[in-house]
Amino acid sequence: MKKILLAITATAMIIPAVFANDFEKTEDAIKYRQAAYGLISFNFGEMGAMLKGEKPFDQDQFNIRAENVAVLSKLPHEAFVDGSDKGDTAALAEIWQDKADFDSKMNTFKDNAAALAIAAKSNDKNAIKAAFVDTGKSCKGCHKVYKED
Ligand code: ASC
């Protein structure tokens, strides 16, 4: 019973934090999105290495990586809170000057990552490569405009 109550209390504490986008400080939001991008970059890099032949292509591994990126791609967006262009971040103020464009680029990234996870389940290497390239383009396309070099 105690455990159940603890679980309910913990859930009640967590859910509003996620849904209310309740980062206590802009610094927390910056750390959150950087952590997500770090994980995305690692998983994406591993897929790239397999497609380039730098590592043996392992269908199961590739699938897991693609699933990871599809889930992770949904995380950073909510952490671009107002004021978080200031601080230890490469995010440019331009993001908040054209938030609609940024949002659209972020959503394209999520869509491409989801499509890559689906393609990864096929045995069609060309389809997998094309979906990987599309996802990479959506990373780069956004970085070019909204991330400091
Ligand atoms: C990565 C990473 C990026 C993107 C980009 C894709 O792994 O760190 O910034 O992929 O290079 O084109």
Side-chain angles (χ1 to χ4, degrees), residues 27-92:
E27 195 187 313
D28 295 340
I30 291 169
K31 280 190 199 141
Y32 183 95
R33 69 198 187 213
Q34 287 175 346
Y37 282 130
L39 295 169
I40 290 167
S41 181
F42 180 80
N43 282 275
F44 197 71
E46 290 292 301
M47 283 190 276
M50 281 190 245
L51 289 177
K52 281 187 226 148
E54 293 166 4
K55 286 193 172 173
F57 186 85
D58 178 322
Q59 178 77 34
D60 291 339
Q61 270 293 317
F62 194 94
N63 253 315
I64 292 166
R65 299 286 174 209
E67 284 290 347
N68 288 349
V69 172
V71 173
L72 290 164
S73 71
K74 298 176 193 167
L75 301 186
H77 201 166
E78 70 165 336
F80 286 87
V81 297
D82 287 349
S84 64
D85 56 320
K86 312 256 176 353
D88 190 10
T89 179
L92 295 174

Side-chain angles (χ1 to χ4, degrees), residues 37 40-42 44-45 135-137 139-140 143 147:
Y37 282 130
I40 290 167
S41 181
F42 180 80
F44 197 71
T135 307
K137 275 186 188 158
C139 300
K140 233 181 221 150
H143 290 169
K147 184 177 178 230

